[in-house]
Amino acid sequence: MTPLRVLDISEYKKLQKPTRGREEKVVFREHLKKVGAKHSHQRDVILDEFLKQRSHVSADDLYHKARSRDPRIGFSTVFRTLKLLKDAGLAREVVLADGISRFEQNYKHPHHDHLICTSCNKTVEFFVSEIEDLQERVAKKYHFRMKNHVMVLYGICPDCLKSDRG
Amino acid sequence: MTPLRVLDISEYKKLQKPTRGREEKVVFREHLKKVGAKHSHQRDVILDEFLKQRSHVSADDLYHKARSRDPRIGFSTVFRTLKLLKDAGLAREVVLADGISRFEQNYKHPHHDHLICTSCNKTVEFFVSEIEDLQERVAKKYHFRMKNHVMVLYGICPDCLKSDRG
DNA sequence: GTTAATGCAAAACTTTTGCAAATTG
DNA sequence: CAATTTGCAAAAGTTTTGCATTAAC
């Protein structure tokens, strides 16, 4: 059996040159202009906090992070800004097993799948091109035009296995 | 490239000998006995309606179906019965992109993945063993003990592509 | 000065629980 | 009759919206 080539996304991210969100902010400004929306202080702070995140955040997570920087920021603004970030192509929404929407970076952050520990919630992001190819082939077989896909593997991580929490 | 072997679950289901839920009812009775729970009229109706479903149902869907047969059935009973069915190994819970829990048959109904049309919600169930193998290998690489996994491909189905709804 | 964005509060949803009354074994 | 289940109603949690006020262009 040929060895499995797994791209470890956290390693990949470490290798990326940090742009400190400069490009993303330009993308956001241009999207706002395109749809006739206005720039605002709150949207700045929310985007900035969102870009700091290394993993997915819920609207509520991001609300608390943004609010700790500026207590005047309300939940609805975070909620509505996340929708804008999605439209601008900066964020991607994923719904995991608990039914809560979470958002992760989409701009120059490649699609990946998740491995989640059901005991401690540790998350590993990975990418396997063979799986992507097979998904494409399934969609083609059924004559679907595939837009996106979600794959989550649930299990017990090595740490929890050791400490008998699993 | 070797041709992709896709097991079409709807075809598979048609081939299965219909048991009219006889076996499932026995499994449920035995599970109830095992956990010291009681049999009831409502649980009978709810299980029976659940077994009629060819695809996944939400708690609310099943509530309406059960209630149309017996208006005395309440939502909480459906909710709690679904939990029992899960514990008994008769139902499997899946959370799709809208964040709503849905339940599908688990007893002698093999694991499968979903292809969903984002325009008309048409659902295709399929199974590709190569994908399953790759998922196992990813979990092994990260030393996870995999419990279950979810894969959903979203796209536009051929009918919607034709009628320009996509 | 128009137009859009904000924050609050409240609505809309799904999911979950407390409890008196009814049903089961 | 003792124990569990039921249905209701209400709580809890997330997501979404209406609206008077504030901020952006």
Side-chain angles (χ1 to χ4, degrees):
Chain A
M1 186 155 41
T2 55
L4 185 64
R5 294 174 62 101
V6 179
L7 179 59
D8 187 313
I9 300 291
S10 36
E11 290 307 314
Y12 175 92
K13 280 183 183 171
K14 282 180 203 153
L15 293 172
Q16 278 197 323
K17 196 172 62 181
T19 68
R20 302 197 154 276
R22 234 175 285 120
E23 290 182 41
E24 288 88 340
K25 284 169 189 171
V26 173
V27 169
F28 191 46
R29 293 275 184 138
E30 284 177 356
H31 176 75
L32 291 178
K33 199 173 288 175
K34 206 183 90 190
V35 299
K38 287 173 180 173
H39 159 262
S40 84
H41 168 68
Q42 286 91 329
R43 287 177 177 172
D44 266 359
V45 173
I46 293 164
L47 172 56
D48 200 56
E49 284 300 316
F50 175 68
L51 293 175
K52 280 187 189 167
Q53 304 312 309
R54 295 244 141 253
S55 187
H56 34 232
V57 281
S58 65
D60 195 58
D61 292 339
L62 192 56
Y63 166 61
H64 287 291
K65 285 175 199 298
R67 201 181 178 96
S68 72
R69 257 181 59 184
D70 185 339
R72 291 174 308 167
I73 293 179
F75 182 83
S76 351
T77 304
V78 174
F79 177 80
R80 289 187 271 231
T81 301
L82 276 168
K83 193 169 280 178
L84 280 171
L85 294 179
K86 250 175 75 176
D87 294 343
L90 294 171
R92 184 195 300 140
E93 185 173 0
V94 291
V95 179
L96 304 178
D98 60 4
I100 296 174
S101 283
R102 290 193 176 75
F103 300 82
E104 54 185 26
Q105 297 195 37
N106 191 47
Y107 182 76
K108 293 192 179 168
H109 279 250
H111 161 82
H112 55 260
D113 298 314
H114 295 98
L115 185 52
I116 299 181
C117 176
T118 52
S119 177
C120 70
N121 287 314
K122 190 194 287 77
T123 301
V124 176
E125 299 175 350
F126 66 89
F127 180 89
V128 178
S129 64
E130 285 101 315
I131 294 180
E132 304 294 315
D133 292 345
L134 290 167
Q135 289 170 328
E136 281 294 347
R137 290 169 70 187
V138 170
K140 191 168 278 175
K141 184 190 155 78
Y142 287 101
H143 306 290
F144 270 59
R145 180 185 296 156
M146 187 157 65
K147 296 272 180 172
N148 63 314
H149 51 271
V150 176
M151 185 174 111
V152 186
L153 314 183
Y154 295 97
I156 309 292
C157 75
D159 292 341
C160 289
L161 283 174
K162 258 182 244 148
S163 64
D164 215 28
R165 271 167 296 194
Chain B
M1 186 153 45
T2 54
L4 185 64
R5 295 173 61 101
V6 180
L7 178 60
D8 186 313
I9 301 289
S10 36
E11 290 307 314
Y12 175 92
K13 281 185 183 171
K14 281 180 202 151
L15 294 173
Q16 280 198 319
K17 196 171 65 181
T19 69
R20 301 197 154 278
R22 235 175 285 120
E23 289 181 41
E24 288 88 339
K25 283 170 190 170
V26 172
V27 169
F28 191 45
R29 293 275 184 139
E30 285 177 356
H31 176 75
L32 291 178
K33 199 172 289 175
K34 205 183 90 190
V35 299
K38 288 174 176 172
H39 161 261
S40 85
H41 168 68
Q42 287 91 328
R43 287 177 177 172
D44 266 1
V45 174
I46 292 165
L47 172 56
D48 200 58
E49 283 301 316
F50 175 69
L51 293 175
K52 281 187 190 169
Q53 303 313 309
R54 295 246 140 252
S55 189
H56 34 231
V57 281
S58 66
D60 195 59
D61 292 339
L62 192 56
Y63 166 62
H64 287 292
K65 285 175 200 297
R67 199 181 180 97
S68 73
R69 257 179 61 183
D70 185 338
R72 290 173 308 166
I73 292 179
F75 182 84
S76 352
T77 304
V78 173
F79 177 79
R80 289 187 271 232
T81 302
L82 276 169
K83 193 169 280 178
L84 281 171
L85 294 178
K86 250 175 75 177
D87 293 343
L90 294 171
R92 184 195 301 139
E93 186 172 359
V94 291
V95 179
L96 304 177
D98 58 6
I100 296 174
S101 283
R102 290 194 176 73
F103 299 83
E104 53 185 27
Q105 297 194 37
N106 191 47
Y107 182 76
K108 293 191 179 171
H109 280 250
H111 161 81
H112 56 260
D113 298 313
H114 295 98
L115 185 52
I116 299 181
C117 176
T118 53
S119 177
C120 71
N121 287 313
K122 188 195 285 85
T123 300
V124 175
E125 299 175 350
F126 66 90
F127 179 89
V128 177
S129 64
E130 285 101 316
I131 293 179
E132 304 295 314
D133 293 344
L134 288 168
Q135 289 172 328
E136 280 294 347
R137 290 170 70 189
V138 170
K140 191 167 281 174
K141 183 189 156 77
Y142 287 101
H143 307 290
F144 269 59
R145 181 184 296 154
M146 186 157 66
K147 296 273 178 167
N148 64 314
H149 51 270
V150 176
M151 186 174 109
V152 187
L153 314 183
Y154 295 97
I156 309 292
C157 76
D159 293 341
C160 289
L161 282 175
K162 257 183 244 149
S163 64
D164 215 27
R165 272 168 297 195

